[in-house]
Amino acid sequence: MIQEAKDFYKSLFRIVGPMAIQNLIVAAVTSADVIMLGYVSQTAIAASSLAGQIQFIMVMVATGLSSGLVMLAAQYWGKKDIKSIQILHGTALRISAAFGLVFSLAAMIFPELLMLIFTDKPALIDEGARYLRAVSLSYICFSISQIFQAGFKSIERVKIVTIITTSALLLNICLNAVFIFGLFGIPKMGIVGVGMATTIARFLELVFCIIYSKYQKDVSFKIQNVFLFNKILNKDFFKFSLPALGNELVWGAAFAMYSVILGHMGEDIVAANSVVNVIRQLATIMCFGMAYGGAVVLGKTMGSGNMELADRNAKRLVRSTILAGLAGSILLLCCYPIMPLLADLTPTAAHYRNVLMFINAMSIFGASVNTVLICGVFRAGGDAKFGFIMDCISMWCVSVPLGLIVAFVLKLPPLWVYFILYLDEFEKMPVIIIHYLKKGWLKNITREID
């Protein structure tokens, strides 16, 4: 049993380690954006944060489709069925690319309309619209590269994903500095420079993915997979990925709605939230990496047919992820003294930022429990529908309506509104734990494909 545990943790951290580094670089880019834009203006910080909600929803779409691909492909990888993995990859590519194209066109043609969803402040709308036009083409690049990366992850090639994304994101940071501050003779572009840097980095990230796919020997991931069809696998992909996609969209749209509510309560609370989110991302790197990485390990085990081992490993994954979440909460609070160094905020925004630190520390612990169960354990066995239903109820039937009431009917102060919105993790936790203990998620979802 001791050797079994060692083998599990070795497999888990072989995947989670590179994913954690990747998430760290993503958080570093966000941090760099906030810090650099802090030298432009608080309005630029707030506008980029609100405009970024469009990209956030796009990320949720790509994450949902990627989760569906990993969910199925990891089990077929445990079964060593290469052809099925390729067909599933092509199906995911077709759908994700279509979504990416829609988002790119919307951000390019109707940026002001999109910004009106999140705020009614003219200064924020103007700045956000300029950013959206500059970043629009990155959405189609991102939607395709994410599916390639999900394919690589499903067959445990996580290191190359980390290398690709790290290279692209480090380039993003460098280009941010060049375009924002006008280095090397280039004109100062401010918030537009952030969008341009993101677009260039995402394009190169896609190029790197396509190049590696040509040299990857275990499974042939390539653009041509979009022409591969299998009626049974297509049906299974929609059956298992649509709930995951719906779950990510429901969750992402609810968080975007939180931003809508906060965006109508003033620039100070939006700017404060943007700064705190920088540290929150850093604090959740390990626990979220373990949750999503654990889905690959558990899925492979279930696909091989060893359900007893999968059950024991699920318990190990849950325990270790919750400990990582607790450590993340403590890390967030330890960063309290350095927060004033990240951005120059107004006194009101600075006060909001200080309180938001404690609210987020509480929220991170709750998120670690729910994420490892919904996105790690349940999805490994193809059970994405439960998470979708839970987030529909807890976020859209409770948190969002309650947030609208306390903000615009009761007109509570912004900090109370924020606190009430971020209680959503604890509203759904008891039901999620009960579902885990029933073990209905413990399933092999592969098929025999001719």
Side-chain angles (χ1 to χ4, degrees), residues 305-320:
N306 194 340
M307 295 304 169
E308 291 184 1
L309 177 60
D311 184 27
R312 291 193 294 272
N313 284 343
K315 294 175 182 175
R316 295 175 179 126
L317 176 65
V318 171
R319 286 195 298 267
S320 55

Side-chain angles (χ1 to χ4, degrees), residues 390-410:
M390 283 307 305
D391 280 338
C392 281
I393 295 172
S394 67
M395 301 185 87
W396 284 99
C397 296
V398 180
S399 292
V400 170
L402 190 58
L404 290 169
I405 291 170
V406 297
F408 304 120
V409 179
L410 301 180

Side-chain angles (χ1 to χ4, degrees), residues 279-286 324-339 357 361 364:
I279 304 299
R280 181 188 172 102
Q281 287 185 35
L282 293 171
T284 56
I285 283 169
M286 186 56 70
L326 179 60
S329 296
I330 295 171
L331 173 63
L332 180 67
L333 295 177
C334 289
C335 292
Y336 185 89
I338 69 170
M339 293 302 290
M357 292 279 288
I364 286 173

Side-chain angles (χ1 to χ4, degrees), residues 102-399:
V102 171
F103 274 78
S104 287
L105 290 175
M108 186 183 300
I109 301 171
F110 310 112
E112 291 87 0
L113 186 60
L114 294 177
M115 285 301 299
L116 276 170
I117 297 173
F118 299 100
T119 182
D120 57 356
K121 306 295 187 291
L124 296 180
I125 292 172
D126 291 342
E127 283 287 276
R130 293 172 62 221
Y131 170 80
L132 284 174
R133 283 198 179 92
V135 81
S136 59
L137 290 178
S138 72
Y139 298 157
I140 181 66
C141 297
F142 175 80
S143 66
I144 298 174
S145 65
Q146 281 295 101
I147 300 302
F148 273 97
Q149 292 173 29
F152 301 151
K153 289 176 184 177
S154 69
I155 61 169
E156 301 176 281
R157 299 297 181 270
V158 181
K159 287 184 180 179
I160 188 61
V161 175
T162 302
I163 292 171
I164 290 172
T165 55
T166 298
S167 301
L169 293 171
L170 287 175
L171 174 63
N172 195 348
I173 293 175
C174 295
L175 291 177
N176 274 347
V178 171
F179 293 148
I180 291 174
F181 301 119
L183 305 180
F184 309 114
I186 294 176
K188 291 183 180 181
M189 300 181 188
I191 196 171
V192 173
V194 176
M196 289 184 61
T198 300
T199 298
I200 294 171
R202 291 301 186 192
F203 173 75
L204 291 176
E205 180 182 41
L206 174 58
V207 171
F208 295 154
C209 286
I210 293 173
I211 291 173
Y212 176 74
S213 68
K214 293 183 179 297
Y215 297 96
Q216 208 290 119
K217 302 299 182 184
D218 294 306
V219 180
S220 180
F221 293 112
K222 51 190 178 182
I223 292 290
Q224 291 90 322
N225 285 348
V226 297
F227 300 110
L228 297 177
F229 292 89
N230 180 280
K231 187 176 180 180
I232 295 175
L233 285 177
N234 282 354
K235 182 179 178 181
D236 279 353
F237 182 82
F238 282 102
K239 176 182 177 181
F240 293 108
S241 69
L242 284 182
L245 172 59
N247 191 183
E248 297 292 343
L249 281 177
V250 163
W251 185 85
F255 261 86
M257 193 65 190
Y258 294 175
S259 295
V260 170
I261 294 171
L262 296 175
H264 285 80
M265 300 194 76
E267 183 181 303
D268 286 327
I269 189 67
V270 174
N273 187 42
S274 301
V275 175
V276 172
N277 271 336
V278 169
I279 304 299
R280 181 188 172 102
Q281 287 185 35
L282 293 171
T284 56
I285 283 169
M286 186 56 70
C287 66
F288 286 1
M290 292 176 74
Y292 283 91
V296 177
V297 179
L298 293 179
K300 181 182 177 183
T301 305
M302 292 183 205
S304 68
N306 194 340
M307 295 304 169
E308 291 184 1
L309 177 60
D311 184 27
R312 291 193 294 272
N313 284 343
K315 294 175 182 175
R316 295 175 179 126
L317 176 65
V318 171
R319 286 195 298 267
S320 55
T321 305
I322 292 174
L323 286 174
L326 179 60
S329 296
I330 295 171
L331 173 63
L332 180 67
L333 295 177
C334 289
C335 292
Y336 185 89
I338 69 170
M339 293 302 290
L341 303 177
L342 294 181
D344 184 19
L345 302 179
T346 66
T348 301
H351 170 66
Y352 289 164
R353 176 201 62 208
N354 295 340
V355 178
L356 264 51
M357 292 279 288
F358 291 94
I359 297 174
N360 276 270
M362 173 194 70
S363 176
I364 286 173
F365 178 75
S368 68
V369 177
N370 294 331
T371 303
V372 69
L373 292 176
I374 291 176
C375 300
V377 176
F378 299 165
R379 288 187 187 178
D383 185 9
K385 187 182 295 184
F386 179 80
F388 170 61
I389 294 171
M390 283 307 305
D391 280 338
C392 281
I393 295 172
S394 67
M395 301 185 87
W396 284 99
C397 296
V398 180
S399 292

